[in-house]
Amino acid sequence: MTASTILLLPGWQNSDAPHWQSRWEAVHGDRRVEQHEWIRPLRGDWSARLEEEVLASPGPVVLVAHSLGCILVAAWAAHSRNTDKVQAALLVAPGDLEREDLRQMIPGWAPIVRQPLPFRALMIAASDDPYCSAERSRGLARDWGARYHDAGPGGHLNGESGLGDWAAGRQLLNEILKEE
């Protein structure tokens, strides 16, 4: 059986060098899905890029999404005919794109797709994320059929959170991959 390809789905403006996704790419060889436009993201373009990467992978894929990347996973899964290639998804710190300030900064992503994902998923969110309240994160996890893990205080769980290689996140990813 072909090993799973881990596809990293950064959020708005990509993941900078101190971000755990960039560290996982460097340390573990995970593959970042490069978008054509990181500053003014278009949902359709981002979904098409994800579809291309899923189809280009020789075997199953694991989606590891951060922030807007989580919203992308839900939007893509609602329209793709290739969701059966996804072994599991790790959804970290979703951004609440239905919040007025974020909707203005990143137009075209609301409303957030809220149907159950057709694959296993785990959402990790901090209790003090400035871009999505814990209550909203829990609601998205529930709507998507994802298990929820409260990371405690940690902000947006990004480079500014000081997570480094984020071993705890990698352990949670490994645990969801062991589930059947």
Side-chain angles (χ1 to χ4, degrees):
M1 182 171 147
T2 306
S4 296
T5 300
I6 295 179
L7 296 178
L8 301 171
L9 304 169
W12 183 45
Q13 301 180 5
N14 204 347
S15 293
D16 58 5
H19 196 290
W20 59 268
Q21 282 185 318
S22 297
R23 299 293 310 135
W24 286 13
E25 184 178 29
V27 173
H28 302 288
D30 301 339
R31 194 165 86 215
R32 181 184 311 247
V33 174
E34 291 290 347
Q35 297 295 345
H36 298 117
E37 178 59 68
W38 290 107
I39 305 303
R40 289 179 299 284
L42 299 174
R43 185 163 53 178
D45 288 351
W46 279 36
S47 291
R49 281 291 302 129
L50 176 53
E51 184 79 359
E52 290 168 0
E53 291 292 333
V54 168
L55 289 173
S57 297
V61 298
V62 176
L63 305 178
V64 176
H66 180 259
S67 193
L68 183 59
C70 299
I71 310 308
L72 169 62
V73 168
W76 172 82
H79 296 99
S80 176
R81 293 186 179 152
N82 297 294
T83 57
D84 58 322
K85 286 195 72 172
V86 178
Q87 182 181 356
L90 183 70
L91 308 169
V92 181
D96 184 357
L97 274 291
E98 293 175 344
R99 218 171 75 179
E100 192 56 34
D101 60 334
L102 297 181
R103 186 188 337 222
Q104 295 300 319
M105 286 194 305
I106 310 170
W109 288 80
I112 296 170
V113 174
R114 294 183 177 265
Q115 64 191 52
L117 297 172
F119 39 79
R120 263 190 334 273
L122 171 64
M123 180 186 291
I124 303 173
S127 58
D128 61 348
D129 189 329
Y131 300 109
C132 190
S133 71
E135 180 182 339
R136 288 286 285 174
S137 292
R138 285 182 193 278
L140 289 171
R142 188 173 43 254
D143 293 344
W144 294 337
R147 202 169 81 231
Y148 186 84
H149 178 84
D150 183 342
H156 196 46
L157 300 177
N158 57 10
E160 294 173 9
S161 300
L163 299 172
D165 291 347
W166 199 30
R170 196 69 184 201
Q171 180 60 38
L172 288 166
L173 173 62
N174 290 336
E175 287 174 18
I176 194 174
L177 292 178
K178 291 176 187 170
E179 296 174 6
E180 285 302 325

